[in-house]
């Protein structure tokens, strides 16, 4: 006869799903027409910083022109003896630059714009995250608006398993406990995970 801790093994059916904290929705902050589509099918792997598509936007062309005018105006007044004039020139350029940044234009694209000296008709939209495209709502030639989620990208380096347990087993479950997962697709493998969340309604 000996003493040892009793152990309960709970078996449950689970469903593998995306980690909600690792899903990125790609929405634009301006309107325009899609020209070139680089990521063109669901399930495609993309990395952060890779191009998704090019966009023509009249708003963006106008914003680039305003920025270039502000940069040129600052150059014209750089010899001014008045500090107030120089400061206004800096503020004008900064405001125009911030407007481009708000429309997800990168600093490199802004630097290229200054070197080029002319607005770029088409701007490239880059991926904000690394993962797989699980939903795509954009097509070549399509007119897109801010309320359209053009891509949904999921990082699958970590996934969730939603396990369903019986009511009488609820007191035995605690956050931090370890769970073992077996899948029909991999009968010889066992996957280990941690219980990270228990829904409040339980």
């Amino acid at each position: 006869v000996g003493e040892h801790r009793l152990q309960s093994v709970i078996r449950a059916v689970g469903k593998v799903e995306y980690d909600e904290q690792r899903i990125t929705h790609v929405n634009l902050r301006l309107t325009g027409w899609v020209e070139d589509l680089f990521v063109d099918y669901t399930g495609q792997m993309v990395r952060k910083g890779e191009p998704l598509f090019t966009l023509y936007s009249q708003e963006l062309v106008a914003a680039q022109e305003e920025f270039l005018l502000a940069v040129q105006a600052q150059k014209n007044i750089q010899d001014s003896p008045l500090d107030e004039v120089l400061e206004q020139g800096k503020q004008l350029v900064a405001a125009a630059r911030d407007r481009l940044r708000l429309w997800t234009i990168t600093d490199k694209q802004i630097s290229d714009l200054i070197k080029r000296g002319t607005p770029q008709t088409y701007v490239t939209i880059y991926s904000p995250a690394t993962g797989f495209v699980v939903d795509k709502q954009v097509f070549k030639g399509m007119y897109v608006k801010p309320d359209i989620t053009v891509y949904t990208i999921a990082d699958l380096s970590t996934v969730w398993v939603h396990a369903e347990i019986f009511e009488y087993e609820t007191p035995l479950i605690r956050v931090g406990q370890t769970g073992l997962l077996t899948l029909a697709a991999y009968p010889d493998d066992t996957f280990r995970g941690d219980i990270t969340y228990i829904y409040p309604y339980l």
Side-chain angles (χ1 to χ4, degrees), residues 25-30 104 125 128 145-151:
H25 297 286
V26 181
N27 290 73
L28 301 179
R29 298 178 185 177
L30 65 164
T104 66
I125 305 300
K145 300 182 293 184
D147 61 347
I148 298 175
T149 301
V150 290
Y151 290 99

Side-chain angles (χ1 to χ4, degrees), residues 123-143:
V123 64
T124 303
I125 305 300
Y126 296 95
S127 175
T130 297
F132 292 89
V133 176
V134 296
D135 187 38
K136 182 181 80 72
Q137 299 295 329
V138 61
F139 303 93
K140 188 172 182 177
M142 178 179 175
Y143 179 73

Side-chain angles (χ1 to χ4, degrees), residues 116-178:
R116 194 172 53 250
T118 56
Q120 190 173 9
T121 307
Y122 294 95
V123 64
T124 303
I125 305 300
Y126 296 95
S127 175
T130 297
F132 292 89
V133 176
V134 296
D135 187 38
K136 182 181 80 72
Q137 299 295 329
V138 61
F139 303 93
K140 188 172 182 177
M142 178 179 175
Y143 179 73
V144 290
K145 300 182 293 184
D147 61 347
I148 298 175
T149 301
V150 290
Y151 290 99
T152 301
I153 300 172
D155 178 0
L156 300 181
S157 59
T158 301
V159 294
W160 281 353
V161 177
H162 287 213
E164 298 181 1
I165 62 172
F166 291 102
E167 183 180 354
Y168 72 87
E169 296 172 328
T170 305
L172 303 176
I173 299 296
R174 295 286 186 275
V175 170
Q177 291 175 331
T178 299

Side-chain angles (χ1 to χ4, degrees), residues 29-44:
R29 298 178 185 177
L30 65 164
T31 59
W33 286 265
V34 176
E35 178 64 17
D36 296 314
L37 198 61
F38 304 115
V39 178
D40 55 359
Y41 63 89
T42 303
Q44 186 170 347

